[in-house]
């Protein structure tokens, strides 16, 4: 019992270590951090629009609320200062014939309310600017213009955050595992991808990157070395008709980095396969990228995906997502090298020709030499 628990604990730590080593999570988030960056953080304020869009919702809403409350309170103070300088406040005991800059401002609270009414254009009609002083007129114009700018920027940022193509990517899903099996007489690595919406992704393109640690002939160790992985479907990998789930595959030939891997050794490899799907959202014409990754434990050798599309009696096509990531064991060569050697051996056998008229006669060798 103790040995069993120890093995489970060891395997859990091993799997946890592998999860920590994953660069791209299953939902496409990148696990990377930057350290000792020499540039100042103020460079992010130069591109303030992108910085605001990249913020999380809790920070964005904090900035949204603070921007409006801060501007209302700041201009409320300015309106209070104008009323104080012009001696419109009740503590100055203005005369009956006194015309204030802003009517019905009796303190800081009423100045704040007038600032709010001005900037959001409520217009209750109880407080209003008079023509008595030019300072109040200038402050009214300045607050109105600045209020429009704040409104446009913050509301535009909220709308852009909601309509980002990143949210469209959440309705594109990849299979939990990748499989390796024969397809069309070739050994292939297969991945299933599905579009959960009926709207299409226009100009979709699928490709992959294999991330691994390599050592150059000069002895340099390159961490996260990237190798291109070409994925295709039967109809080509450009402009996919992405209305139903597709099975994309990578042919494991002599140029593939998977060529020297085998069923017995793939779990001992240290790599991460990152798969990308680029396309244009049909509704908004915004570009969209979906990505996921597979580590060796998620690549099943000798399996294929279960069927997922069927046709009903009514003539409709039905997609059963219960079998989306389901796999079925199939007979598969344990390595690509063995499959190609088998094909070469069969090709050499076909190069020979049989001659039906050829008769093999036995010849007895006798010696005519006499001593």
């Amino acid at each position: 019992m103790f040995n069993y628990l120890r093995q489970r604990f060891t395997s859990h730590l091993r799997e946890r270590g592998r999860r920590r080593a994953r660069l791209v999570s299953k939902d496409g988030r990148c696990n990377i951090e930057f350290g000792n960056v020499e540039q100042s953080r103020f460079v992010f304020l130069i591109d303030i629009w992108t910085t605001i869009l990249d913020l999380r919702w809790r920070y964005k809403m904090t900035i949204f609320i603070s921007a409006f409350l801060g501007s209302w309170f700041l201009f409320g103070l300015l309106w209070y200062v104008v009323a104080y300088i012009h001696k419109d406040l009740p503590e100055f005991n203005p005369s009956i014939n006194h015309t204030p800059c802003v009517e019905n401002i009796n303190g800081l609270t009423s100045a704040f309310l007038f600032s709010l009414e001005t900037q959001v254009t409520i217009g209750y009609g109880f407080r209003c600017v008079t023509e008595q002083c030019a300072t109040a007129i200038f402050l009214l114009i300045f607050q109105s213009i600045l209020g429009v700018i704040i409104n446009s920027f913050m509301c535009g940022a909220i709308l852009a955050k909601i309509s980002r193509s990143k949210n469209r990517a959440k309705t594109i899903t990849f299979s939990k595992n990748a499989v390796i099996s024969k397809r069309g007489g070739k050994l292939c690595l297969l991945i299933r991808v599905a579009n959960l919406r009926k709207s299409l992704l226009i100009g979709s393109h699928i490709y992959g990157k294999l991330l691994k640690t390599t050592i150059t002939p000069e002895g340099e160790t390159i961490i996260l070395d990237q190798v291109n992985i070409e994925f295709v479907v039967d109809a080509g990998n450009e402009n996919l008709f992405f209305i139903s789930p597709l099975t994309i595959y990578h042919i494991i030939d002599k140029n593939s980095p998977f060529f020297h891997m085998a069923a017995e050794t793939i779990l001992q490899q240290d790599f991460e396969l990152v798969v990308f799907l680029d396309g244009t959202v049909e509704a908004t014409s915004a570009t969209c990228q979906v990505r996921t990754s597979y580590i060796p434990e998620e690549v099943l050798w000798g399996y294929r995906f279960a069927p997922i599309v069927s046709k009903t009696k009514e003539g409709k096509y039905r997609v059963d997502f219960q079998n989306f990531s389901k796999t079925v064991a199939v007979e598969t060569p344990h390595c690509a090298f063995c499959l190609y050697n088998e094909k070469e051996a069969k090709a050499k056998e076909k190069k020979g020709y049989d001659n039906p008229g050829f008769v093999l006669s036995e010849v007895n060798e006798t010696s005519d030499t006499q001593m």
Side-chain angles (χ1 to χ4, degrees), residues 212-214 221-226:
K212 59 180 182 178
T213 301
T214 59
T221 301
I222 302 177
I223 300 178
L224 297 180
D225 186 25
Q226 301 184 14

Side-chain angles (χ1 to χ4, degrees), residues 36-328:
N36 299 324
V37 180
E38 296 181 358
Q39 291 183 340
S40 173
R41 292 187 179 273
F42 287 102
V43 297
F44 294 97
L45 297 178
I46 298 176
D47 187 12
I48 186 64
W49 179 253
T50 305
T51 302
I52 292 295
L53 291 183
D54 288 340
L55 289 177
R56 295 185 176 182
W57 275 109
R58 53 179 176 268
Y59 302 124
K60 185 184 293 293
M61 294 307 299
T62 301
I63 294 176
F64 181 86
I65 296 172
S66 300
F68 283 102
L69 289 179
S71 63
W72 296 339
F73 184 74
L74 174 62
F75 280 99
L77 288 177
L78 294 177
W79 286 116
Y80 179 80
V81 170
V82 169
Y84 185 86
I85 294 176
H86 199 254
K87 297 184 178 181
D88 299 334
L89 300 176
E91 56 261 30
F92 291 105
N93 296 319
S95 62
I96 300 176
N97 298 327
H98 178 77
T99 304
C101 291
V102 181
E103 293 184 352
N104 298 311
I105 287 186
N106 303 318
L108 186 60
T109 302
S110 57
F112 174 80
L113 292 175
F114 177 73
S115 172
L116 186 152
E117 295 166 10
T118 300
Q119 190 163 326
V120 300
T121 65
I122 293 178
Y124 289 126
F126 181 68
R127 300 179 182 88
C128 61
V129 177
T130 64
E131 56 185 14
Q132 181 64 26
C133 51
T135 305
I137 298 175
F138 173 78
L139 185 60
L140 177 67
I141 296 174
F142 182 71
Q143 183 178 5
S144 300
I145 295 175
L146 186 62
V148 171
I149 295 175
I150 295 175
N151 248 349
S152 302
F153 184 86
M154 298 309 301
C155 294
I158 295 295
L159 180 61
K161 181 76 170 179
I162 295 174
S163 60
R164 289 186 75 178
S165 57
K166 182 179 180 181
N167 296 326
R168 176 64 175 91
K170 296 182 183 299
T171 54
I172 305 295
T173 181
F174 288 88
S175 57
K176 182 180 179 181
N177 296 303
V179 297
I180 295 179
S181 59
K182 292 177 65 176
R183 186 183 181 94
K186 300 177 181 178
L187 192 64
C188 300
L189 183 142
L190 300 97
I191 297 172
R192 180 171 276 174
V193 58
N195 179 16
L196 302 181
R197 289 185 179 272
K198 292 185 178 180
S199 59
L200 300 178
L201 283 180
I202 304 172
S204 300
H205 174 60
I206 297 177
Y207 58 97
K209 299 286 185 181
L210 188 70
L211 308 178
K212 59 180 182 178
T213 301
T214 59
I215 301 177
T216 63
E218 294 77 17
E220 179 185 3
T221 301
I222 302 177
I223 300 178
L224 297 180
D225 186 25
Q226 301 184 14
V227 180
N228 290 327
I229 302 294
E230 294 294 334
F231 284 98
V232 295
V233 294
D234 293 333
N237 62 341
E238 297 285 349
N239 300 324
L240 303 176
F241 185 50
F242 202 11
I243 194 64
S244 63
L246 298 176
T247 300
I248 61 175
Y249 59 92
H250 164 70
I251 301 175
I252 304 179
D253 53 13
K254 294 182 179 180
N255 298 322
S256 172
F258 293 94
F259 184 76
H260 298 287
M261 299 182 188
E264 298 84 2
T265 62
I266 189 170
L267 295 179
Q268 303 172 4
Q269 304 293 326
D270 184 15
F271 67 84
E272 182 177 352
L273 175 62
V274 184
V275 183
F276 301 87
L277 171 63
D278 296 340
T280 303
V281 181
E282 187 179 26
T284 62
S285 299
T287 57
C288 172
Q289 183 183 86
V290 192
R291 53 185 176 265
T292 190
S293 69
Y294 299 92
I295 56 178
E297 287 80 3
E298 297 169 345
V299 179
L300 306 180
W301 196 295
Y303 289 83
R304 65 172 175 82
F305 290 110
I308 190 175
V309 181
S310 61
K311 190 174 183 180
T312 63
K313 296 180 180 180
E314 293 79 11
K316 294 183 179 181
Y317 293 93
R318 183 175 184 271
V319 179
D320 186 7
F321 279 94
Q322 186 177 0
N323 294 336
F324 180 72
S325 294
K326 186 178 180 181
T327 57
V328 179

